[in-house]
Amino acid sequence: MNLLAWYGKDTMYGIDAELKTIVSIRNGKIEGQIRIKEEVIPVALAFDTEGAAWMLDKKDQVVKFDATGKILFRFGNEGSGNGQFKDPTDLVISVSGKIYVADKGNDSVQIFNSEGKFLNVIRKLDDPVAMAVDAQENLYVLEKGQKFISIYSPLGERVGSMGQEKE
């Protein structure tokens, strides 16, 4: 398995990027497989509150697909503007459906609604590589070049940090 994702209930998902397969694992046993039918290179996987699977594709796109692996919707392309990515590294979805994309190449996190409409961007980050979002929709961003995790409000404003900040 190359990547792992959790749906927040009783199932863990693993992605085999070479075989382009998502494996569902429940109680330590493989329960099912989804074969991704189109050409994608998975970077990250997340689920919305309705259980829909969203994948961050290495080709600078966010992709939503169904249980059979058919792509339903995609947005994004290569670049440095709003809705464009350069070396995206992570994807998380909040309980309200906001989609956050960590974009290492553009040193930013972009925020979208569930239809892929650009909402906001957090800039001047230092290689954002991993993210999490809590039940209050605060965003936690791990930056490769830092020794702390930055915390952002649902509006994208920095509200604090965890760990040791550089002086």
Side-chain angles (χ1 to χ4, degrees), residues 20-31:
K20 295 193 313 182
T21 302
I22 298 172
V23 178
S24 59
I25 304 164
R26 184 176 296 181
N27 297 324
K29 297 180 182 176
I30 293 178
E31 186 174 80

Side-chain angles (χ1 to χ4, degrees), residues 25-92:
I25 304 164
R26 184 176 296 181
N27 297 324
K29 297 180 182 176
I30 293 178
E31 186 174 80
Q33 295 185 6
I34 301 170
R35 177 95 169 130
I36 303 163
K37 296 182 178 180
E38 295 189 39
E39 191 62 38
V40 294
I41 302 168
V43 173
L45 178 68
F47 293 86
D48 61 26
T49 56
E50 296 174 7
W54 292 79
M55 182 182 296
L56 182 57
D57 183 5
K58 185 73 173 171
K59 292 187 248 172
D60 306 314
Q61 291 189 331
V62 176
V63 180
K64 180 180 181 179
F65 55 95
D66 67 15
T68 69
K70 178 182 173 191
I71 293 178
L72 302 173
F73 174 69
R74 66 175 82 209
F75 67 90
N77 55 42
E78 183 181 2
S80 58
N82 297 341
Q84 297 180 322
F85 312 112
K86 183 179 177 185
D87 196 15
T89 56
D90 201 8
L91 164 81
V92 294

Side-chain angles (χ1 to χ4, degrees), residues 7-150:
Y7 173 41
K9 300 199 180 193
D10 59 355
T11 306
M12 180 74 72
Y13 294 86
I15 297 177
D16 186 322
E18 278 187 33
L19 298 177
K20 295 193 313 182
T21 302
I22 298 172
V23 178
S24 59
I25 304 164
R26 184 176 296 181
N27 297 324
K29 297 180 182 176
I30 293 178
E31 186 174 80
Q33 295 185 6
I34 301 170
R35 177 95 169 130
I36 303 163
K37 296 182 178 180
E38 295 189 39
E39 191 62 38
V40 294
I41 302 168
V43 173
L45 178 68
F47 293 86
D48 61 26
T49 56
E50 296 174 7
W54 292 79
M55 182 182 296
L56 182 57
D57 183 5
K58 185 73 173 171
K59 292 187 248 172
D60 306 314
Q61 291 189 331
V62 176
V63 180
K64 180 180 181 179
F65 55 95
D66 67 15
T68 69
K70 178 182 173 191
I71 293 178
L72 302 173
F73 174 69
R74 66 175 82 209
F75 67 90
N77 55 42
E78 183 181 2
S80 58
N82 297 341
Q84 297 180 322
F85 312 112
K86 183 179 177 185
D87 196 15
T89 56
D90 201 8
L91 164 81
V92 294
I93 302 174
S94 72
V95 293
S96 70
K98 285 182 184 173
I99 301 167
Y100 298 86
V101 178
D103 188 0
K104 180 178 163 185
N106 287 317
D107 292 323
S108 66
V109 171
Q110 293 192 51
I111 307 168
F112 303 88
N113 69 12
S114 60
E115 285 82 43
K117 179 183 176 193
F118 174 83
L119 299 175
N120 199 1
V121 64
I122 301 168
R123 296 194 188 279
K124 298 183 181 176
L125 300 175
D126 189 4
D127 288 344
V129 293
M131 299 182 298
V133 65
D134 66 21
Q136 290 75 40
E137 304 216 4
N138 293 305
L139 177 68
Y140 300 79
V141 180
L142 174 63
E143 299 171 64
K144 184 177 181 181
Q146 304 294 336
K147 294 182 179 180
F148 62 90
I149 296 170
S150 298

